[in-house]
């Protein structure tokens, strides 16, 4: 199979490395950064550039760039995508992407499905990508009424070959609602947490909990601003819930109410046990 990858940052670069190291597929890649293109070619992550000559020959196209850029790329290049090809975007939000790309795919006759690999690192870019990034991860796909079983079987075999543990099927709205809690809220909390003046005086006083809370504060503000705004309705709802719960803890502390604080902590522990680790 010939695979085209648009964007060779953390996600796209890891896809390229995984494909080359774990399968026999041919990989063509494109990135705006020419140094990234050179590195990808030198380390064997791609077999050549994804361009006007190779794009029409691709059986599978993975679009691993920011949401609006993904839509713009598909709109510009749709006429050169084969009608037998499958296109999957890997964006972190789905509604705004799917509602724009799906009509383009239908108009030009190629298959399209929204996707989101549930894996990542706090540092981005090709140099942070790895061929084992997706090992054990979940790959979310958002099929619709035009998605046939053969396409899903092809994608299942492909992603499992890359080390994904499972495929999870969702609808774009459900995806964005859940991801607001499981991913986006954590990034906002981490970003806000490190703004305390004590963060600059913590040397010698921090352990695992501090590292866990601050890890994702080291984010790409350009990308996450776009993701947050694309999911602002669900994300503001989750922030409201969180702020409400934080107020409960503050009120218990201000009142020196040991019983109330104990109950709040127990509730959190019990809910965590019910929710599990993932």
């Amino acid at each position: 199979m010939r695979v085209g990858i648009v964007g060779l940052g953390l996600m796209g670069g890891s896809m390229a490395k995984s494909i080359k190291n774990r399968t026999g597929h041919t990989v063509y890649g494109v990135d705006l950064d020419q140094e990234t293109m050179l590195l990808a070619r030198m380390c064997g992550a791609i077999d050549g550039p994804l361009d006007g000559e190779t794009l029409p020959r691709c059986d599978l196209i993975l679009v691993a760039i920011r949401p609006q850029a993904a839509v713009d790329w598909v709109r510009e290049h749709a006429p050169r995508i084969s009608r037998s090809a499958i296109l999957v975007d890997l964006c972190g939000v789905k509604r705004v992407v799917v509602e724009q790309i799906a009509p383009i795919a239908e108009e030009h006759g190629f298959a399209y499905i929204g996707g989101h690999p549930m894996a990542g690192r706090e540092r981005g870019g090709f140099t942070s990508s790895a061929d084992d990034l997706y090992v054990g991860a979940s790959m979310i796909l958002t099929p619709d009424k035009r998605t046939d079983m053969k396409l899903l079987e092809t994608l299942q075999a492909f992603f499992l070959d890359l080390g994904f543990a499972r495929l999870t099927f969702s609808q774009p709205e459900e995806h964005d609602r859940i991801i607001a809690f499981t991913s986006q809220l954590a990034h906002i909390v981490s970003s806000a947490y490190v703004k305390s003046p004590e963060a600059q005086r913590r040397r010698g006083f921090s352990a695992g909990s501090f590292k866990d809370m601050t890890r994702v504060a080291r984010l790409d503000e350009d990308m996450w601003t776009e993701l947050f705004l694309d999911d602002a309705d669900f994300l503001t709802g989750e922030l409201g819930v969180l702020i409400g719960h934080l107020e409960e803890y503050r009120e218990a502390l201000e009142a020196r109410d040991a019983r109330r604080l104990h109950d709040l902590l127990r509730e959190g522990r019990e809910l965590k046990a019910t929710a599990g680790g993932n």
Side-chain angles (χ1 to χ4, degrees), residues 5 7-18 31 33 35-46 121 123-131:
I5 301 179
L8 295 172
L10 175 64
M11 307 306 285
S14 295
M15 279 288 177
K17 291 177 179 178
S18 297
D31 194 278
D33 185 79
E35 183 178 353
T36 292
M37 289 291 293
L38 179 61
L39 288 173
R41 191 66 183 270
M42 289 178 63
C43 75
I46 62 174
R121 291 177 173 172
R123 295 186 185 276
F126 183 79
T127 54
S128 297
S129 63
D131 65 353

Side-chain angles (χ1 to χ4, degrees), residues 47-64:
D47 296 290
L50 181 66
D51 54 24
E53 181 181 346
T54 57
L55 176 59
R57 302 206 301 264
C58 287
D59 306 293
L60 174 63
I61 301 162
L62 305 174
V63 184

Side-chain angles (χ1 to χ4, degrees), residues 146-221:
R146 293 183 297 274
T147 308
D148 61 39
M149 284 303 300
K150 184 177 179 181
L151 180 150
L152 292 178
E153 289 171 0
T154 298
L155 292 179
Q156 180 178 35
F158 174 77
F159 288 119
L160 292 182
D161 282 347
L162 302 190
F164 284 93
R166 70 192 69 84
L167 264 62
T168 300
F169 298 108
S170 181
Q171 296 300 309
E173 183 164 347
E174 179 188 43
H175 168 277
D176 288 0
R177 175 176 55 80
I178 296 174
I179 217 71
F181 171 70
T182 61
S183 175
Q184 296 171 355
L185 183 64
H187 284 77
I188 283 184
V189 170
S190 185
S191 180
Y193 179 71
V194 298
K195 292 178 181 177
S196 168
E198 294 301 328
Q200 306 305 318
R201 297 190 286 267
R202 54 90 186 173
R203 191 171 300 277
F205 289 83
S206 59
S209 56
F210 180 84
K211 293 177 182 177
D212 290 343
M213 280 288 292
T214 59
R215 181 179 64 83
V216 294
R218 190 186 290 114
L219 46 68
D220 177 344
E221 60 269 21

Side-chain angles (χ1 to χ4, degrees), residues 13-270:
S14 295
M15 279 288 177
K17 291 177 179 178
S18 297
I19 295 167
K20 293 305 299 177
N21 287 345
R22 296 171 181 271
T23 77
H25 303 315
T26 299
V27 177
Y28 301 113
V30 63
D31 194 278
L32 293 176
D33 185 79
Q34 291 307 304
E35 183 178 353
T36 292
M37 289 291 293
L38 179 61
L39 288 173
R41 191 66 183 270
M42 289 178 63
C43 75
I46 62 174
D47 296 290
L50 181 66
D51 54 24
E53 181 181 346
T54 57
L55 176 59
R57 302 206 301 264
C58 287
D59 306 293
L60 174 63
I61 301 162
L62 305 174
V63 184
I65 50 181
R66 296 173 191 168
Q68 190 55 53
V71 173
D72 293 342
W73 186 92
V74 174
R75 182 177 291 116
E76 179 182 351
H77 294 86
R80 299 193 64 82
I81 296 175
S82 169
R83 286 178 172 268
S84 63
I86 303 170
L87 185 140
V88 182
D89 83 86
L90 305 181
C91 299
V93 290
K94 293 273 69 79
R95 286 175 297 173
V96 68
V97 178
V98 172
E99 70 184 16
Q100 294 184 78
I101 293 182
I104 299 173
E106 187 172 15
E107 176 186 352
H108 292 275
F110 57 85
Y112 162 68
I113 188 167
H116 184 191
M118 295 306 299
R121 291 177 173 172
E122 60 269 27
R123 295 186 185 276
F126 183 79
T127 54
S128 297
S129 63
D131 65 353
D132 61 352
L133 181 68
Y134 301 116
V135 174
S138 173
M139 179 66 194
I140 300 175
L141 295 176
T142 59
D144 60 23
K145 61 184 179 182
R146 293 183 297 274
T147 308
D148 61 39
M149 284 303 300
K150 184 177 179 181
L151 180 150
L152 292 178
E153 289 171 0
T154 298
L155 292 179
Q156 180 178 35
F158 174 77
F159 288 119
L160 292 182
D161 282 347
L162 302 190
F164 284 93
R166 70 192 69 84
L167 264 62
T168 300
F169 298 108
S170 181
Q171 296 300 309
E173 183 164 347
E174 179 188 43
H175 168 277
D176 288 0
R177 175 176 55 80
I178 296 174
I179 217 71
F181 171 70
T182 61
S183 175
Q184 296 171 355
L185 183 64
H187 284 77
I188 283 184
V189 170
S190 185
S191 180
Y193 179 71
V194 298
K195 292 178 181 177
S196 168
E198 294 301 328
Q200 306 305 318
R201 297 190 286 267
R202 54 90 186 173
R203 191 171 300 277
F205 289 83
S206 59
S209 56
F210 180 84
K211 293 177 182 177
D212 290 343
M213 280 288 292
T214 59
R215 181 179 64 83
V216 294
R218 190 186 290 114
L219 46 68
D220 177 344
E221 60 269 21
D222 293 327
M223 179 183 75
W224 284 98
T225 294
E226 184 172 349
L227 293 174
F228 290 159
L229 290 177
D230 284 340
D231 209 17
D233 51 351
F234 288 129
L235 185 52
T236 53
E238 289 299 336
L239 276 169
V241 172
L242 175 64
I243 291 168
H245 288 308
L246 289 174
E247 285 290 348
E248 293 175 344
Y249 288 93
R250 187 175 72 168
E251 290 167 3
L253 287 165
E254 288 178 341
R256 303 297 192 271
D257 187 339
R259 172 49 53 189
R260 177 59 175 151
L261 182 59
H262 180 275
D263 289 345
L264 289 170
L265 294 170
R266 187 193 71 249
E267 290 169 5
R269 175 178 55 79
E270 291 175 348

